[in-house]
């Protein structure tokens, strides 16, 4: 594991983001497995919220899907979110993310396209589409 990942794992435990992610995994009756780069992968998450196919809290990546779902580009996307928790000093990321969702909804009517956190994690890796701001869209006659 690279030094950055060890630091991220430690910081996200101290800032309480990873413990919250582990609590959500437990409450959602997810099966927890050790993942790459200090991540914890939680499969079979049973709550309906959030609606994303995967989401990250601290170093914990949660998904309603079964083992093997979190691979490739999607796992890299979620890995970047884990780093964002470290940079946002943990739990403050949650309200900041909600603000970013609201801004994106105002700009383009989509929760991810103009969400700063999703853009920095690479929209396409997270299976999100890039949508134009509403003021740039052409109107159909």
């Amino acid at each position: 594991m690279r030094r950055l990942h060890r630091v991220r794992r430690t910081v996200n435990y101290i800032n309480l983001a990873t413990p919250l992610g582990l609590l959500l995994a437990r409450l959602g009756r997810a099966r927890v497995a050790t993942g790459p780069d200090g991540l914890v992968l939680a499969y079979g998450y049973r709550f309906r919220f959030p609606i994303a196919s995967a989401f990250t809290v601290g170093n914990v990546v949660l998904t309603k899907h079964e083992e093997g779902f979190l691979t490739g580009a999607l796992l890299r996307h979620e890995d970047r979110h884990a780093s964002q928790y470290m940079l946002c000093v943990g739990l403050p990321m949650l309200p900041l993310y909600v603000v970013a969702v609201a801004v994106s909804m105002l700009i383009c009517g989509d929760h991810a396209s103009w969400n700063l956190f999703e853009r920095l994690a690479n929209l396409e890796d997270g299976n999100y589409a890039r949508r134009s701001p509403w003021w740039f869209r052409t109107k159909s006659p």
Side-chain angles (χ1 to χ4, degrees):
M1 185 173 12
R2 291 184 4 213
R3 183 170 187 235
L4 170 65
H5 295 129
R6 285 193 302 272
V7 169
R8 179 182 70 189
R9 183 179 58 186
T10 302
V11 169
N12 280 344
Y13 267 97
I14 291 169
N15 68 27
L16 301 179
T18 295
L20 177 60
L22 292 169
L23 176 64
L24 288 173
R26 179 146 180 125
L27 291 173
R29 299 193 332 233
R31 291 173 309 286
V32 175
T34 302
D37 301 326
L39 295 175
V40 177
L41 308 180
Y43 295 99
Y45 179 77
R46 298 191 181 163
F47 292 134
R48 292 184 181 185
F49 182 83
I51 57 172
S53 62
F55 69 101
T56 301
V57 180
N59 273 31
V60 182
V61 183
L62 300 105
T63 183
K64 62 185 172 188
H65 300 283
E66 297 303 315
E67 285 85 355
F69 179 75
L70 295 170
T71 61
L74 178 59
L75 187 57
R76 285 190 302 275
H77 176 86
E78 298 303 330
D79 181 81
R80 291 179 195 115
H81 284 314
S83 295
Q84 291 169 355
Y85 273 94
M86 176 183 70
L87 296 172
C88 289
V89 195
L91 300 181
M93 165 117 172
L94 296 172
L96 291 172
Y97 188 89
V98 170
V99 169
V101 166
V103 168
S104 185
M105 291 297 292
L106 288 171
I107 291 173
C108 68
D110 176 75
H111 77 282
S113 289
W114 285 88
N115 178 325
L116 175 65
F117 295 104
E118 295 300 343
R119 290 175 78 85
L120 290 172
N122 191 332
L123 286 170
E124 290 79 11
D125 285 353
N127 296 317
Y128 295 117
R130 288 190 183 268
R131 300 196 198 294
S132 299
W134 60 266
W135 56 85
F136 285 138
R137 294 188 193 144
T138 57
K139 302 218 186 223
S140 300

